[in-house]
Coordinates of all heavy atoms in Angstrom, one line a residue:
R1273 N 2.7 97.3 -32.5 CA 3.4 96.6 -31.5 C 3.2 95.0 -31.6 O 4.2 94.3 -31.6 CB 2.8 97.0 -30.1 CG 3.3 96.2 -28.9 CD 4.8 96.3 -28.8 NE 5.3 97.6 -28.4 CZ 5.3 98.0 -27.1 NH1 4.9 97.2 -26.1 NH2 5.8 99.2 -26.8
P1274 N 2.0 94.5 -31.8 CA 1.9 93.0 -31.9 C 2.6 92.5 -33.1 O 3.2 91.4 -33.1 CB 0.4 92.8 -32.0 CG -0.3 94.1 -32.3 CD 0.6 95.1 -31.7
L1275 N 2.5 93.2 -34.3 CA 3.2 92.7 -35.5 C 4.7 92.8 -35.3 O 5.4 91.8 -35.7 CB 2.7 93.6 -36.7 CG 3.4 93.2 -38.0 CD1 3.1 91.7 -38.4 CD2 2.9 94.1 -39.1
S1276 N 5.2 93.8 -34.8 CA 6.7 93.9 -34.7 C 7.2 92.9 -33.7 O 8.3 92.3 -33.9 CB 7.1 95.3 -34.2 OG 6.6 95.7 -33.0
D1277 N 6.5 92.7 -32.6 CA 6.9 91.7 -31.6 C 6.9 90.3 -32.3 O 7.8 89.5 -32.1 CB 6.0 91.7 -30.4 CG 6.2 92.9 -29.5 OD1 7.2 93.6 -29.7 OD2 5.4 93.2 -28.7
Y1278 N 5.9 90.0 -33.1 CA 5.8 88.7 -33.7 C 7.0 88.5 -34.7 O 7.6 87.4 -34.7 CB 4.5 88.6 -34.5 CG 4.5 87.5 -35.5 CD1 4.4 86.1 -35.1 CD2 4.5 87.8 -36.9 CE1 4.4 85.1 -36.1 CE2 4.5 86.8 -37.8 CZ 4.5 85.5 -37.4 OH 4.5 84.5 -38.4
L1279 N 7.2 89.5 -35.5 CA 8.3 89.3 -36.5 C 9.7 89.2 -35.9 O 10.5 88.3 -36.3 CB 8.3 90.6 -37.4 CG 7.1 90.7 -38.4 CD1 7.2 92.0 -39.1 CD2 7.0 89.6 -39.4
V1280 N 10.0 89.9 -34.8 CA 11.3 89.8 -34.2 C 11.4 88.5 -33.5 O 12.4 87.8 -33.5 CB 11.5 91.0 -33.2 CG1 12.7 90.8 -32.3 CG2 11.6 92.3 -33.9
R1281 N 10.3 88.1 -32.8 CA 10.3 86.8 -32.0 C 10.5 85.6 -33.0 O 11.3 84.7 -32.7 CB 9.1 86.7 -31.2 CG 9.0 85.5 -30.3 CD 7.8 85.5 -29.5 NE 6.5 85.4 -30.3 CZ 5.7 86.4 -30.4 NH1 5.9 87.6 -29.9 NH2 4.6 86.2 -31.2
S1282 N 9.7 85.6 -34.1 CA 9.8 84.5 -35.0 C 11.1 84.4 -35.7 O 11.7 83.3 -35.9 CB 8.7 84.6 -36.0 OG 8.8 85.7 -36.9
A1283 N 11.8 85.6 -35.9 CA 13.1 85.6 -36.5 C 14.1 85.0 -35.6 O 15.0 84.2 -35.9 CB 13.5 87.0 -37.0
E1284 N 14.0 85.5 -34.3 CA 15.0 85.0 -33.3 C 14.9 83.6 -33.0 O 15.8 82.9 -32.6 CB 14.9 85.9 -32.1 CG 15.4 87.3 -32.2 CD 15.3 88.1 -31.0 OE1 14.4 87.8 -30.1 OE2 16.1 89.1 -30.8
N1285 N 13.6 83.0 -33.1 CA 13.4 81.6 -32.8 C 13.7 80.7 -34.0 O 13.6 79.5 -33.9 CB 12.0 81.4 -32.4 CG 11.7 82.0 -31.0 OD1 12.6 82.3 -30.2 ND2 10.4 82.3 -30.7
G1286 N 14.1 81.4 -35.1 CA 14.5 80.6 -36.3 C 13.3 79.9 -36.9 O 13.5 78.7 -37.4
E1287 N 12.1 80.4 -36.9 CA 11.0 79.8 -37.5 C 11.1 79.6 -39.0 O 12.0 80.3 -39.6 CB 9.7 80.6 -37.1 CG 9.4 80.5 -35.6 CD 8.1 81.2 -35.2 OE1 7.4 81.7 -36.1 OE2 7.8 81.2 -34.0
P1288 N 10.3 78.8 -39.6 CA 10.5 78.5 -41.0 C 10.7 79.8 -41.9 O 10.0 80.8 -41.7 CB 9.2 77.8 -41.4 CG 8.7 77.2 -40.2 CD 9.2 78.1 -39.1
P1289 N 11.8 79.8 -42.7 CA 12.2 81.0 -43.4 C 11.2 81.3 -44.6 O 11.4 80.8 -45.7 CB 13.6 80.7 -43.9 CG 13.6 79.2 -44.1 CD 12.7 78.7 -43.0
I1290 N 10.2 82.1 -44.3 CA 9.3 82.5 -45.4 C 9.4 84.0 -45.6 O 9.9 84.7 -44.6 CB 7.8 82.2 -45.1 CG1 7.3 82.8 -43.8 CG2 7.6 80.7 -45.0 CD1 5.9 82.7 -43.5
E1291 N 9.1 84.5 -46.7 CA 9.2 85.9 -47.0 C 8.4 86.7 -46.0 O 7.4 86.3 -45.5 CB 8.7 86.3 -48.4 CG 9.6 85.6 -49.5 CD 9.1 84.2 -49.9 OE1 8.5 83.6 -49.1 OE2 9.5 83.8 -51.0
V1292 N 8.9 87.9 -45.7 CA 8.2 88.8 -44.7 C 6.8 89.1 -45.0 O 5.9 89.2 -44.2 CB 9.1 90.0 -44.4 CG1 9.2 90.9 -45.6 CG2 8.5 90.8 -43.2
D1293 N 6.5 89.4 -46.3 CA 5.1 89.7 -46.7 C 4.2 88.6 -46.4 O 3.0 88.8 -46.0 CB 5.0 90.2 -48.1 CG 5.7 89.2 -49.1 OD1 6.4 88.3 -48.7 OD2 5.5 89.4 -50.3
L1294 N 4.6 87.3 -46.6 CA 3.8 86.2 -46.3 C 3.6 86.0 -44.8 O 2.5 85.7 -44.3 CB 4.4 84.9 -46.9 CG 4.5 84.9 -48.5 CD1 5.1 83.6 -48.9 CD2 3.1 85.1 -49.1
A1295 N 4.7 86.3 -44.1 CA 4.6 86.2 -42.6 C 3.6 87.2 -42.1 O 2.8 86.9 -41.2 CB 6.0 86.4 -42.0
I1296 N 3.7 88.4 -42.6 CA 2.8 89.5 -42.2 C 1.3 89.1 -42.5 O 0.4 89.2 -41.7 CB 3.1 90.8 -42.8 CG1 4.5 91.3 -42.3 CG2 2.0 91.9 -42.5 CD1 5.0 92.5 -43.0
G1297 N 1.1 88.6 -43.7 CA -0.2 88.1 -44.1 C -0.8 87.0 -43.2 O -2.0 87.0 -42.8
E1298 N 0.1 86.0 -42.9 CA -0.4 84.9 -42.1 C -0.7 85.4 -40.6 O -1.7 85.0 -40.0 CB 0.7 83.8 -42.0 CG 0.8 83.1 -43.4 CD 1.9 82.0 -43.3 OE1 2.5 81.8 -42.2 OE2 2.1 81.4 -44.3
F1299 N 0.1 86.3 -40.1 CA -0.1 86.8 -38.8 C -1.4 87.6 -38.8 O -2.2 87.5 -37.8 CB 1.0 87.7 -38.3 CG 0.9 88.3 -36.9 CD1 1.0 87.5 -35.8 CD2 0.6 89.6 -36.7 CE1 0.9 88.0 -34.5 CE2 0.4 90.1 -35.5 CZ 0.6 89.3 -34.4
A1300 N -1.7 88.5 -39.8 CA -2.9 89.2 -39.9 C -4.1 88.3 -39.9 O -5.2 88.6 -39.3 CB -2.9 90.1 -41.1
A1301 N -4.0 87.2 -40.6 CA -5.1 86.2 -40.7 C -5.4 85.6 -39.3 O -6.6 85.4 -38.9 CB -4.8 85.1 -41.7
T1302 N -4.4 85.3 -38.5 CA -4.6 84.7 -37.2 C -5.2 85.8 -36.3 O -6.0 85.4 -35.3 CB -3.2 84.3 -36.6 OG1 -2.4 85.4 -36.4 CG2 -2.6 83.2 -37.5
K1303 N -5.0 87.0 -36.5 CA -5.6 88.1 -35.7 C -6.9 88.6 -36.2 O -7.6 89.4 -35.6 CB -4.7 89.3 -35.6 CG -3.4 89.1 -34.9 CD -3.6 88.9 -33.4 CE -2.3 88.9 -32.6 NZ -2.6 88.8 -31.2
N1304 N -7.3 88.0 -37.4 CA -8.6 88.4 -38.0 C -8.6 89.9 -38.3 O -9.7 90.5 -38.2 CB -9.8 88.0 -37.2 CG -11.1 88.0 -38.0 OD1 -11.1 87.8 -39.2 ND2 -12.2 88.2 -37.3
W1305 N -7.5 90.4 -38.7 CA -7.4 91.8 -39.1 C -8.0 92.1 -40.4 O -8.0 91.3 -41.3 CB -5.9 92.3 -39.1 CG -5.3 92.5 -37.7 CD1 -5.9 92.5 -36.6 CD2 -3.9 92.7 -37.5 NE1 -5.0 92.7 -35.5 CE2 -3.8 92.8 -36.1 CE3 -2.8 92.7 -38.3 CZ2 -2.6 93.0 -35.4 CZ3 -1.5 93.0 -37.6 CH2 -1.4 93.1 -36.2
T1306 N -8.5 93.3 -40.6 CA -8.9 93.8 -41.9 C -7.7 94.5 -42.6 O -7.1 95.4 -42.0 CB -10.0 94.8 -41.8 OG1 -11.2 94.2 -41.2 CG2 -10.4 95.5 -43.1
T1307 N -7.3 93.9 -43.7 CA -6.2 94.5 -44.4 C -6.6 94.9 -45.8 O -7.5 94.3 -46.4 CB -5.1 93.4 -44.6 OG1 -5.6 92.3 -45.3 CG2 -4.6 92.9 -43.2
C1308 N -6.1 96.0 -46.3 CA -6.5 96.7 -47.5 C -5.4 97.0 -48.4 O -4.2 96.9 -48.0 CB -7.3 98.0 -47.1 SG -8.5 97.8 -45.8
R1309 N -5.7 97.4 -49.6 CA -4.7 97.9 -50.5 C -5.3 99.1 -51.3 O -6.5 99.2 -51.5 CB -4.2 96.9 -51.5 CG -5.1 96.4 -52.6 CD -4.4 95.5 -53.5 NE -5.3 94.9 -54.6 CZ -5.4 95.5 -55.8 NH1 -4.6 96.5 -56.1 NH2 -6.1 94.9 -56.7
S1310 N -4.4 100.0 -51.6 CA -4.8 101.2 -52.3 C -5.1 100.9 -53.8 O -4.3 100.2 -54.4 CB -3.8 102.3 -52.2 OG -4.0 103.4 -53.0
R1311 N -6.1 101.5 -54.4 CA -6.3 101.5 -55.8 C -6.5 102.9 -56.3 O -7.5 103.5 -55.9 CB -7.5 100.6 -56.1 CG -7.4 99.1 -55.7 CD -8.6 98.4 -55.9 NE -9.1 98.5 -57.3 CZ -10.3 98.1 -57.7 NH1 -11.2 97.7 -56.9 NH2 -10.6 98.2 -59.0
P1312 N -5.6 103.4 -57.2 CA -4.5 102.7 -57.8 C -3.3 102.8 -56.8 O -3.4 103.3 -55.7 CB -4.2 103.5 -59.0 CG -4.6 104.9 -58.7 CD -5.8 104.7 -57.8
N1313 N -2.1 102.3 -57.2 CA -0.9 102.4 -56.4 C -0.6 103.9 -56.3 O -0.7 104.7 -57.2 CB 0.3 101.8 -57.1 CG 0.2 100.3 -57.2 OD1 -0.6 99.7 -56.5 ND2 0.9 99.7 -58.1
I1314 N -0.2 104.3 -55.1 CA 0.2 105.7 -54.9 C 1.7 105.8 -54.7 O 2.3 106.8 -54.4 CB -0.5 106.4 -53.8 CG1 -0.4 105.8 -52.5 CG2 -2.0 106.6 -54.2 CD1 -1.0 106.5 -51.3
V1315 N 2.4 104.7 -54.9 CA 3.9 104.6 -55.0 C 4.3 103.8 -56.2 O 3.5 102.8 -56.5 CB 4.6 104.1 -53.7 CG1 4.2 105.0 -52.5 CG2 4.3 102.7 -53.4
D1316 N 5.4 104.0 -56.7 CA 5.9 103.2 -57.8 C 7.1 102.4 -57.2 O 7.9 102.9 -56.4 CB 6.4 104.0 -59.0 CG 5.3 104.7 -59.7 OD1 4.2 104.1 -59.9 OD2 5.5 105.9 -60.1

Side-chain angles (χ1 to χ4, degrees):
R1273 172 63 67 86
L1275 178 59
S1276 62
D1277 288 348
Y1278 162 74
L1279 291 174
V1280 172
R1281 183 176 63 253
S1282 64
E1284 289 183 332
N1285 292 339
E1287 293 184 2
I1290 61 174
E1291 294 88 338
V1292 64
D1293 51 351
L1294 298 182
I1296 292 171
E1298 290 181 1
F1299 181 73
T1302 63
K1303 292 290 186 179
N1304 198 27
W1305 282 350
T1306 295
T1307 62
C1308 311
R1309 71 178 178 95
S1310 170
R1311 296 177 55 197
N1313 294 342
I1314 59 175
V1315 301
D1316 292 322

